Amino acid sequence: MSEPAAPKTTFKRVMLKISGEALMGDQGYGLHPPTVQRIAREVQSVQEMGVEICMVIGGGNIFRGLSGSAQGMERTTADYMGMLATVMNALAMQSALEDLGVFTRVISAITMNEVAEPYIRRRAVRHLEKKRVCIFAAGTGNPYFTTDTAATLRANEMACEAIFKGTKVDGVYDKDPAKFKDAVRYDHVSYDEVLQKRLGVMDASAIALARDNNLPIIVFSLDEPGGFQGILAGEGTYTKVHG
């Protein structure tokens, strides 16, 4: 019996942005290998649709620069520690993807040649053309910028058609659906509305950068098995942030 055909999609190249917390599973800290493996299978299923995939993973499951600075640590140092946490997450995801036979490159904004490639735009584009998953680590390489901003920057540089932000909820709500039963989900919302209403999709720098380059952001639940593939095929529940 032949394998069922992969769903069709109009996307050729996309950015998947996930938080470090997405890799924790039900733990309160660190990496949960079965969760990392599940997300890797999601990425593999999308690659099998013929889509070129970039990834940016946050570091909040290991260390968050902003919370470190709030506890008295110098902000620049705390942010660099947060960047190193994103490299650890990227290496874990690379391992899980390569266990599935998916060729992957970790590309770091901070030079660490023993574990990751340095960021060179043309080389990264070539990896994507060769159907390798590119995981961009260490944020932008600069303190005071979040991994949301890094994902938007790299998505623009790589000419991605959209940013897919995987979260714990199935879209953008007018208030926290975990706290308010009457929270309303948006099907579509503009960049300006996100900024004005402080909807918390991404930080303001990332939203402004996406708006200025007309890069849509699609917010969906990464907890739903098969969700990433389904959203790319136009199925499921999500919110699209656009102009």
Side-chain angles (χ1 to χ4, degrees), residues 9-235:
T9 182
T10 58
F11 290 97
K12 299 287 185 235
R13 183 180 296 170
V14 301
M15 167 64 73
L16 174 63
K17 167 64 171 73
I18 59 176
S19 66
E21 288 89 343
L23 306 184
M24 291 192 309
D26 294 329
Q27 302 173 160
Y29 177 82
L31 289 156
H32 183 238
T35 300
V36 177
Q37 290 156 10
R38 178 180 65 79
I39 294 171
R41 286 192 294 272
E42 296 274 333
V43 173
Q44 179 192 34
S45 70
V46 167
Q47 196 201 42
E48 287 171 351
M49 298 167 77
V51 179
E52 297 169 3
I53 304 169
C54 305
M55 291 183 73
V56 168
I57 307 171
N61 56 321
I62 299 170
F63 188 86
R64 187 179 291 281
L66 203 56
S67 60
S69 66
Q71 293 175 37
M73 187 178 290
E74 197 261 328
R75 173 68 190 269
T76 302
T77 300
D79 277 357
Y80 278 119
M81 290 173 69
M83 290 179 219
L84 295 178
T86 72
V87 177
M88 294 170 70
N89 285 338
L91 292 171
M93 184 57 65
Q94 179 183 44
S95 177
L97 284 165
E98 292 192 338
D99 279 349
L100 297 171
V102 178
F103 293 108
T104 310
R105 294 290 185 273
V106 173
I107 300 171
S108 173
I110 297 173
T111 306
M112 46 182 81
N113 291 334
E114 287 75 14
V115 297
E117 290 186 6
Y119 176 68
I120 299 169
R121 188 183 68 84
R122 288 178 181 273
R123 184 189 289 177
V125 169
R126 189 75 185 116
H127 286 319
L128 291 170
E129 290 169 350
K130 290 182 176 179
K131 306 302 179 188
R132 296 166 183 158
V133 173
C134 287
I135 307 175
F136 296 103
T140 66
N142 302 289
Y144 296 95
F145 289 93
T146 67
T147 51
D148 281 344
T149 303
T152 312
L153 175 64
R154 297 292 183 240
N156 280 307
E157 290 179 298
M158 295 296 107
C160 293
E161 294 158 293
I163 298 173
F164 285 77
K165 179 158 186 187
T167 68
K168 291 190 176 297
V169 293
D170 58 358
V172 180
Y173 286 76
D174 61 347
K175 48 193 166 187
D176 188 347
K179 295 177 182 173
F180 301 96
K181 289 186 177 177
D182 61 342
V184 177
R185 186 181 60 79
Y186 298 93
D187 285 328
H188 298 268
V189 64
S190 72
Y191 304 113
D192 289 336
E193 277 182 279
V194 169
L195 292 171
Q196 287 161 10
K197 296 178 181 176
R198 301 191 176 191
L199 295 176
V201 178
M202 287 180 161
D203 66 81
S205 300
I207 294 293
L209 186 57
R211 179 191 62 194
D212 293 348
N213 294 278
N214 201 28
L215 179 68
I217 303 164
I218 294 165
V219 183
F220 71 104
S221 172
L222 200 63
D223 288 348
E224 193 69 39
F228 187 27
Q229 185 189 60
I231 296 296
L232 272 155
E235 301 164 359

